[in-house]
Amino acid sequence: MSGEASHLSYQDLEGMVVSIGVIFALILPLAMNLQYMVFDEGPQAKNFLMLLCTEKRFRNYVVTVMEDDEWGNIGLYEREFLNWTMPLGRGRTLDMKEVLQDDSYWPEAFGPETIYTCGEKGEVTATAEVIWGHFPDYLMRAWALINSKSVLWTDHINAMTSFAMTTLIAGELGSLGIYLSLSLSPCREDETGEALRRWSTIGYPCLGGLFMTLIGSIVVLLFAQDAYVESNDIFFLRATRFGGYSKIALLSVFLPVTLFFLVGSIFSMIRSCRTPAAIEEAEARHSKISEHEDEGIREAARGEVEPRVSNTDI
């Protein structure tokens, strides 16, 4: 009986290790694919907006380039320069050059989150959108290379995707190592279950670490995916930082549902674990029940034998 229970416990543990490894393997391509898409057109446009929001020198550089006789030529068939005045309808206009040179439009901050506070002003995002359609993107990249301490939106996304990808690879290798450790151990052949118990003293904490690594990687990957979606949506700044649907789904649906099941799983495990005193009490109660059942069987057996003897004597 003990051998059968030990064998079943080994199978359950082996299935758990394999399942965690499979989940790591399924999610890893998503992180790798997202990292390859960081340098698409959308994130590059957000790099332009990020540089405008955080670097006054870059704003002055944009004005200089767009007014240059050679670099500022935006015409296809004849020389043409950018019209700094944007029509807004009903006789209203927006002077984009004034927006770039007026410091009141731009926050005094430095970091990826600046794009949200900066982009809340419609004049800023509209100016960046129009100028980005004419500004040579290779000059933006060259300026960022020369000014290496400038903040880029692609660095923000790449940091999260790189973290998610590396932790997923580490988790995959970790699950493989735990599986090999369990397979090469004598836990399968040991019918007493002692080898599995000794393995579990270290194996269970390792499995818990793998599970937490998996959860952390998924959360970081979701934040990276949210940043990439924002990069390809020119209207995401209208809803402020936490007003977009991607943020609402992430913070109001994913996190509460995940925490609910995680906390429920932990409490279920805690309630299933009994103290040694409770185990001894349950074993004593079970032994008493077994004694009563055995006594009843013996009495029933005696009752069947005595009538047979009396009939034979007659």
Side-chain angles (χ1 to χ4, degrees):
M1 186 67 178
S2 62
E4 182 181 357
S6 175
H7 184 62
L8 291 176
S9 299
Y10 176 87
Q11 286 182 334
D12 295 338
L13 193 58
E14 184 182 37
M16 186 185 304
V17 175
V18 172
S19 299
I20 293 178
V22 169
I23 296 174
F24 273 113
L26 290 176
I27 299 177
L28 179 58
L30 301 178
M32 298 178 68
N33 188 42
L34 184 59
Q35 191 174 33
Y36 296 149
M37 297 188 298
V38 168
F39 305 101
D40 291 346
E41 178 68 18
Q44 294 303 317
K46 293 304 177 289
N47 277 341
F48 184 75
L49 177 59
M50 178 68 75
L51 290 174
L52 290 178
C53 291
T54 57
E55 295 285 350
K56 182 178 181 179
R57 296 174 300 163
F58 183 73
R59 296 195 293 270
N60 295 332
Y61 176 71
V62 170
V63 174
T64 301
V65 169
M66 299 308 296
E67 290 185 340
D68 187 84
D69 290 338
E70 181 177 355
W71 297 103
N73 180 20
I74 63 175
L76 296 178
Y77 305 104
E78 59 182 9
R79 183 171 292 276
E80 180 184 356
F81 293 91
L82 176 67
N83 184 4
W84 291 105
T85 303
M86 180 197 308
L88 301 178
R90 296 184 178 181
R92 297 180 302 149
T93 59
L94 175 65
D95 190 342
M96 295 182 291
K97 183 177 179 180
E98 181 183 354
V99 172
L100 291 176
Q101 295 178 336
D102 189 351
D103 293 339
S104 62
Y105 284 101
W106 311 95
E108 296 181 359
F110 192 82
E113 65 279 357
T114 307
I115 197 172
Y116 297 101
T117 56
C118 174
E120 290 179 356
K121 300 177 180 179
E123 297 85 355
V124 169
T125 52
T127 299
E129 181 66 21
V130 172
I131 297 178
W132 172 247
H134 302 289
F135 189 82
D137 55 350
Y138 54 87
L139 290 183
M140 179 197 69
R141 294 193 296 267
W143 192 93
L145 289 172
I146 295 175
N147 300 272
S148 58
K149 293 185 179 180
S150 56
V151 180
L152 296 177
W153 184 254
T154 50
D155 290 341
H156 175 59
I157 304 177
N158 199 25
M160 292 186 289
T161 54
S162 299
F163 178 83
M165 186 180 67
T166 53
T167 51
L168 286 171
I169 294 176
E172 181 68 22
L173 295 177
S175 62
L176 178 61
I178 293 178
Y179 178 77
L180 291 176
S181 172
L182 182 63
S183 300
L184 296 177
S185 68
C187 298
R188 186 193 298 270
E189 294 80 11
D190 184 18
E191 297 183 355
T192 63
E194 181 63 21
L196 185 60
R197 186 189 64 80
R198 291 197 301 267
W199 185 92
S200 300
T201 56
I202 299 178
Y204 278 166
C206 290
L207 283 176
L210 277 180
F211 185 70
M212 297 307 297
T213 301
L214 179 62
I215 293 179
S217 302
I218 293 175
V219 171
V220 174
L221 185 60
L222 285 176
F223 276 102
Q225 187 268 343
D226 176 69
Y228 179 77
V229 170
E230 290 178 342
S231 301
N232 291 275
D233 181 11
I234 62 174
F235 303 111
F236 81 97
L237 290 173
R238 298 191 307 173
T240 68
R241 183 173 187 177
F242 298 105
Y245 289 111
S246 58
K247 285 288 195 309
I248 294 175
L250 181 63
L251 300 177
S252 302
V253 179
F254 170 76
L255 289 181
V257 171
T258 303
L259 289 176
F260 172 79
F261 286 110
L262 183 61
V263 172
S265 301
I266 293 175
F267 274 101
S268 299
M269 183 184 66
I270 293 176
R271 288 182 60 86
S272 67
C273 297
R274 297 179 296 176
T275 61
I279 295 176
E280 292 178 0
E281 181 181 356
E283 291 179 349
R285 189 165 54 248
H286 179 71
S287 62
K288 290 181 180 179
I289 294 175
S290 300
E291 290 177 0
H292 287 299
E293 291 179 352
D294 293 341
E295 185 178 355
I297 293 174
R298 287 194 296 269
E299 291 179 356
R302 285 196 301 270
E304 291 179 359
V305 171
E306 289 177 358
R308 292 178 183 175
V309 174
S310 61
N311 291 333
T312 304
D313 294 340
I314 294 172

